[in-house]
Amino acid sequence: DAGVIQSPRHEVTEMGQEVTLRCKPISGHDYLFWYRQTMMRGLELLIYFNNNVPIDDSGMPEDRFSAKMPNASFSTLKIQPSEPRDSAVYFCASSLEVGEKLFFGSGTQLSVL
Amino acid sequence: DAKTTQPNSMESNEEEPVHLPCNHSTISGTDYIHWYRQLPSQGPEYVIHGLTSNVNNRMASLAIAEDRKSSTLILHRATLRDAAVYYCILRWNTGFQKLVFGTGTRLLVSP
């Protein structure tokens, strides 16, 4: 298996633009997670899905952030409009079942100028 | 969430054993001890986890104190590739619980 696949690897955009990050989880995994990592706050869980349904989005910083999982093999994290403080590395992860270990993607390095 | 305490950084020489400590004095009976590590420019990766007994796998060993208030991740022979941030995390194994990352220990490995 190729593991969790994220795209793009790097994204540079200007303030106010819409940004869409993409994730393909490992096939057969029922849980998908979006994390954000910054120097100041470390790794933070933004939202997670179970069987394509959002379960907990309490970590989403504000309404500018939205996440969807239209099917079992694809998820998006969208920021609209983007701001410089959104600059971070965004990780997607998936796991097979409750309590199982998480497999992380390589992340998307987002820079908002 | 039960908290863990880890040193900010540790240093080791290549091919020497490394013992990474973690304190978790408020651990509950249902908490498993998980370790993840994050290599530079990569996402975190699972290392090992355990409940009460010591655990071994191809990557590392996990030694858990008898009172479970502390644990130690053991890398038997450090390599340069083991230089990473190591996270000690407490997690239930039934029902869903968020995997909450602390600040971890940055391991530096010298040739």
Side-chain angles (χ1 to χ4, degrees), chain A residues 9 33 35 37 48 56 58 91 98-102 104-105, chain B residues 36 38 41-44 46 87 91 93 95-96 98-99 101:
Chain A
R9 191 77 171 90
F33 309 83
Y35 280 83
Q37 186 172 36
Y48 78 92
D56 185 346
S58 60
F91 290 103
V98 166
E100 289 289 319
K101 60 187 176 184
L102 269 64
F104 283 79
Chain B
Y36 282 73
Q38 187 173 17
S41 301
Q42 294 188 29
Y46 168 84
Y87 299 96
R91 194 180 188 208
N93 214 43
F96 180 74
K98 300 176 185 180
L99 200 64
F101 289 79

Side-chain angles (χ1 to χ4, degrees), chain A residues 15 18 20 33 41 46 52 60 64 66 73 88 92 106 110:
Chain A
M15 184 173 63
E18 178 178 293
T20 299
F33 309 83
R41 301 174 68 89
L46 301 178
N52 313 336
M60 297 285 261
R64 298 184 297 107
S66 63
S73 59
C92 176
S106 298
L110 174 64

Side-chain angles (χ1 to χ4, degrees), chain B residues 91-108:
Chain B
R91 194 180 188 208
W92 304 330
N93 214 43
T94 56
F96 180 74
Q97 185 191 31
K98 300 176 185 180
L99 200 64
V100 178
F101 289 79
T103 55
T105 296
R106 181 173 297 279
L107 176 65
L108 305 172

